[in-house]
Amino acid sequence: MRMLLRTFVAIGALGLTASIATAQKAPQGQKEPVYRPGNGVTLPVVTYEVRPQYTAEAMKAKITGSAVVEVTVTSKGEVTDVEVTRSLDRVYGLDDNCVAAAKQWKFKPRTKDGKPVAVRVWIENTFTLR
């Protein structure tokens, strides 16, 4: 049994247009404002990607499908605030592996009005057995 894992960044693909570029300035001492792509906010570009591991237990259980994590890409291109927004497997570790992998990604920071800003995006990981 072979496994195939596809990963891609789905930036703004969930149609949350009402929340695009609605971030406010962060109070002093708080995190930086976080934007959605659009309205002058450019898209982050992946520079380093780590794919989550397909656990032996999940392969044995023949679990296939997609897990989606939502992440914040900081103005320095680092990933923070990782959340599973579409779960595939909470029992055999696939969701946990998606979170752990996403935390290692690096991006070229994106901009608003020419300045680097934090952007909220989605990463979808698809697990397939062949």
Side-chain angles (χ1 to χ4, degrees):
M1 181 173 359
R2 284 187 33 214
M3 63 128 190
L4 173 67
L5 173 63
R6 284 187 327 192
T7 304
F8 67 92
V9 179
I11 301 176
L14 298 182
L16 298 176
T17 55
S19 64
I20 290 177
T22 59
Q24 302 292 321
K25 289 202 177 227
Q28 193 170 8
Q30 296 283 326
K31 290 187 203 178
E32 62 188 324
V34 178
Y35 296 88
R36 295 281 182 185
N39 294 337
V41 178
T42 60
L43 302 174
V45 176
V46 177
T47 60
Y48 180 75
E49 171 185 337
V50 174
R51 293 178 181 233
Q53 294 297 309
Y54 208 147
T55 66
E57 296 84 4
M59 284 193 291
K60 187 175 180 180
K62 298 184 180 179
I63 295 176
T64 61
S66 296
V68 176
V69 292
E70 187 174 11
V71 306
T72 298
V73 178
T74 69
S75 61
K76 294 180 181 182
E78 299 168 345
V79 171
T80 63
D81 303 323
V82 180
E83 292 180 54
V84 175
T85 57
R86 184 172 61 204
S87 174
L88 174 61
D89 162 55
R90 291 186 176 107
V91 176
Y92 300 109
L94 295 181
D95 287 354
D96 292 338
N97 286 358
C98 289
V99 169
K103 288 179 179 180
Q104 298 175 63
W105 284 41
K106 302 289 181 209
F107 290 81
K108 180 177 179 186
R110 300 328 290 167
T111 61
K112 176 173 175 46
D113 303 324
K115 296 179 183 173
V117 294
V119 181
R120 194 82 174 150
V121 297
W122 298 271
I123 300 172
E124 180 174 350
N125 298 284
T126 301
F127 296 86
T128 306
L129 295 172
R130 290 188 181 194

